């Protein structure tokens, strides 16, 4: 029996994880569930799954949940705040932690799972983008096995030799005979939209991804391709790549989820339906395989697979992220924080779509002079970058 704790249980990845777990009740126990502030959604999940623990980041929400669960005589113990979230990430009874909180809020709880030596099923890319080297070193120290859930990184992981899979964060790609890691991305909903109409893009248009169903923040990131930029940084850390080894390829159909190119000319790709239940099932069962509930890919229905180079004028956020990745940890933490503020401002109608990149670029040029040696310094950089981003957002209000 594998006991798991799901951080971000009420979100898109959380729901997909529960969908997979529902197919394997004999081998997977939902031991703890965590969420931000949606009491009703977590209450429903607690009734359905009867976890030993539930945690809510919002303290008031946690109290409400506790009262509601008490009223029905539930056995679930409720924990509150970031420390409660970190606690369910490091419970001694738990084997695997699904890290699926959105954004920088996931850093502390995900790190708690890493430090506790858990198997960490990593969906929360922002945590790794923010803490990069610290995250990888912490996993080395505790012996935590990181299994990527992000579909591209999961695909790459599947295409790696076993030895490299066992050395996540420290693999030697040259020794494994690998020349390039090819990150694929669909290009999002605006791949062909005239650039001069970008300012008029609405939040509803931006979150309507052509192939994947995801939470609002990552959907906007997919539209700007900041998502691919964050994934570039994520891949740099997970697969220990040098800049020239990592490439982004636009593949609008999202059938290939990423590829590994070997020195002998071979290219290994992982293909499938665009459903997160496949990488989640793989991460839960690695090194074995189990059913995910996803329909088999029917090649007679797939049609054409096409590929193009990314156009950086269309996707300035992608080039900002690649630039930040080469600059280092303070830059990536800064960009991630600025982007979260800019995306939230766009989603609440405060700034136009094309201003997301403008805010990010401006904050990145006024990079805080800081160190990135420990979690506290990174959190300080994150806070400074958010303040700078709010100033830039203020100058661009609609
Ligand atoms: P979502 O918005 O659907 O869900 C986010 C979850 O995080 C919710 O359960 C919410 O309650 C929780 N949360 C928010 N703030 C919190 C806080 N302060 N403390 C604790 N929990 C908090 O997001 P999602 O689409 O499921 O994405 C989650 C993560 O997975 C993101 O980092 C995203 O980049 C990554 N990811 C998602 C997909 C996808 O298909 N959705 C694919 C790849 C990677
Ligand atoms: Mg992805």
């Amino acid at each position: 029996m594998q006991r798991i704790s799901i951080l971000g249980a009420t979100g898109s990845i959380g729901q997909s994880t529960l969908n997979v777990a529902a197919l394997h009740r004999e081998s997977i126990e939902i031991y703890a569930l965590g969420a931000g502030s949606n009491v009703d959604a977590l209450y429903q999940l607690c009734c359905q799954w009867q976890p030993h623990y539930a945690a809510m980041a919002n303290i008031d929400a946690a109290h409400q949940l506790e009262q509601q669960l008490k009223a029905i005589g539930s056995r679930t113990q409720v924990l509150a705040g970031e420390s409660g979230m970190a606690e369910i990430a490091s419970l001694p009874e738990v084997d695997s932690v699904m890290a699926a909180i959105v954004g920088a809020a996931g850093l502390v709880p995900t790190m708690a799972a890493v430090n506790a030596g858990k198997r960490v099923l990593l969906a929360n890319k922002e945590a790794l983008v923010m803490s990069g080297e610290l995250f990888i070193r912490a996993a080395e120290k505790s012996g935590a096995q990181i299994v990527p859930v992000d579909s591209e990184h999961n695909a790459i992981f599947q295409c790696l030799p076993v030895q490299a899979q066992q050395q996540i964060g420290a693999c030697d790609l040259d020794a494994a005979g690998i020349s390039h890691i090819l990150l694929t991305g669909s290009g999002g909903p605006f791949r062909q939209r005239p650039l001069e109409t970008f300012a008029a893009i609405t939040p509803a248009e931006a979150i309507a991804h052509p192939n994947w169903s995801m939470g609002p923040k990552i959907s906007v990131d997919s539209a700007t391709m900041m998502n691919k930029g964050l994934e570039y940084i994520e891949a740099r850390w997970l697969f220990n790549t040098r800049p020239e080894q990592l490439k982004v390829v636009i593949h609008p159909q999202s059938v290939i989820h990423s590829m590994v190119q070997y020195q002998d000319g071979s290219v290994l790709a992982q293909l499938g339906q665009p459903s997160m239940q496949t990488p989640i099932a793989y991460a839960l069962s690695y090194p074995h395989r189990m059913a995910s509930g996803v329909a088999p890919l029917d090649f007679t229905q797939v049609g054409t697979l096409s590929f193009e180079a990314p156009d950086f004028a269309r996707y300035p956020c992608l080039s900002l992220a690649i630039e930040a990745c080469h600059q280092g940890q303070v830059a990536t933490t800064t960009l991630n924080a600025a982007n979260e503020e800019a995306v939230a401002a766009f989603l609440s109608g405060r700034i136009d779509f094309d201003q997301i990149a403008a805010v990010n670029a401006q904050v990145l040029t006024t990079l805080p002079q800081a160190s990135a040696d420990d979690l506290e310094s990174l959190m300080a950089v994150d806070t400074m970058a958010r303040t700078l981003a709010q100033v830039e957002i203020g100058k661009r209000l609609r």
Side-chain angles (χ1 to χ4, degrees), residues 125 150-153 214 218 227-228 231 234 276:
K125 66 193 83 183
D150 208 350
S151 59
E152 296 75 6
H153 306 75
M214 308 179 285
I218 180 175
N227 184 49
K228 210 52 54 187
E231 291 181 354
E234 184 185 12
M276 289 307 293

Side-chain angles (χ1 to χ4, degrees), residues 9-326:
T10 58
S12 167
I13 292 287
Q15 188 55 57
S16 297
T17 306
L18 291 169
N19 293 346
V20 175
L23 302 173
H24 301 281
R25 286 181 190 259
E26 71 301 337
S27 59
I28 294 175
E29 184 187 355
I30 303 300
Y31 202 80
L33 295 172
S37 57
N38 188 337
V39 179
D40 293 344
L42 196 56
Y43 173 78
Q44 294 298 338
L45 293 180
C46 287
C47 293
Q48 199 180 337
W49 289 94
Q50 316 235 340
H52 288 263
Y53 293 89
M56 300 215 79
N58 181 294
I59 310 270
D60 292 338
H63 287 318
Q64 276 182 45
L65 179 69
E66 189 171 34
Q67 282 172 358
Q68 291 185 17
L69 288 173
K70 249 192 202 142
I72 57 159
S74 161
R75 71 166 182 185
T76 303
Q77 195 176 326
V78 178
L79 303 172
E82 192 173 64
S83 60
M85 209 60 62
E87 197 174 330
I88 65 162
S90 49
L91 291 165
E93 300 88 348
V94 163
D95 307 297
S96 305
V97 175
M98 170 55 75
I101 295 172
V102 60
L107 177 59
V108 168
T110 304
M111 272 296 223
V114 170
N115 287 328
K118 301 301 182 195
R119 173 183 284 217
V120 180
L121 318 180
L122 183 67
N124 178 215
K125 66 193 83 183
E126 296 93 342
L128 185 55
V129 165
M130 282 181 76
S131 64
E133 193 164 2
L134 286 177
F135 189 103
I136 297 298
R137 299 294 155 256
E140 274 171 11
K141 194 169 160 205
S142 70
Q145 160 103 52
I146 310 294
V147 187
V149 168
D150 208 350
S151 59
E152 296 75 6
H153 306 75
N154 187 276
I156 293 160
F157 186 87
Q158 293 195 40
C159 297
L160 290 178
V162 175
Q163 204 184 356
Q165 290 181 332
Q166 297 301 325
Q167 296 175 327
I168 280 304
C171 38
D172 184 339
L173 295 183
D174 296 320
I178 293 166
S179 63
H180 295 96
I181 300 284
L182 306 177
L183 266 182
T184 54
S186 70
F190 309 131
R191 190 172 54 87
Q192 294 174 315
R193 180 171 172 138
L195 279 180
E196 59 278 12
T197 68
F198 269 37
I201 289 170
T202 65
E205 288 174 322
I207 61 179
H209 195 279
N211 306 340
W212 298 89
S213 156
M214 308 179 285
K217 192 260 177 182
I218 180 175
S219 297
V220 175
D221 284 348
S222 298
T224 60
M225 278 195 87
M226 176 58 91
N227 184 49
K228 210 52 54 187
L230 298 177
E231 291 181 354
Y232 182 99
I233 302 164
E234 184 185 12
R236 179 259 173 274
W237 291 112
L238 289 175
F239 308 118
N240 194 27
T241 59
R242 293 190 303 275
E244 69 276 15
Q245 292 173 315
L246 197 48
K247 289 187 175 165
V248 174
V249 181
I250 304 253
H251 165 48
Q253 297 82 14
S254 302
V255 171
I256 292 178
H257 298 145
S258 278
M259 303 180 261
V260 176
Q261 195 157 38
Y262 284 81
Q263 289 159 5
D264 63 4
S266 301
V267 181
L268 300 193
Q270 187 264 356
L271 289 73
Q273 303 276 8
S275 165
M276 289 307 293
Q277 288 184 205
T278 297
I280 289 167
Y282 179 84
L284 283 167
S285 57
Y286 174 79
H288 307 289
R289 298 270 176 176
M290 66 185 194
S292 66
V294 176
L297 189 61
D298 178 353
F299 278 88
T300 64
Q301 300 299 312
V302 165
T304 310
L305 298 187
S306 61
F307 305 92
E308 28 186 281
D311 169 3
F312 291 112
R314 182 170 290 274
Y315 303 114
C317 284
L318 175 60
S319 58
L320 286 174
I322 294 174
E323 205 178 290
C325 185
H326 300 158

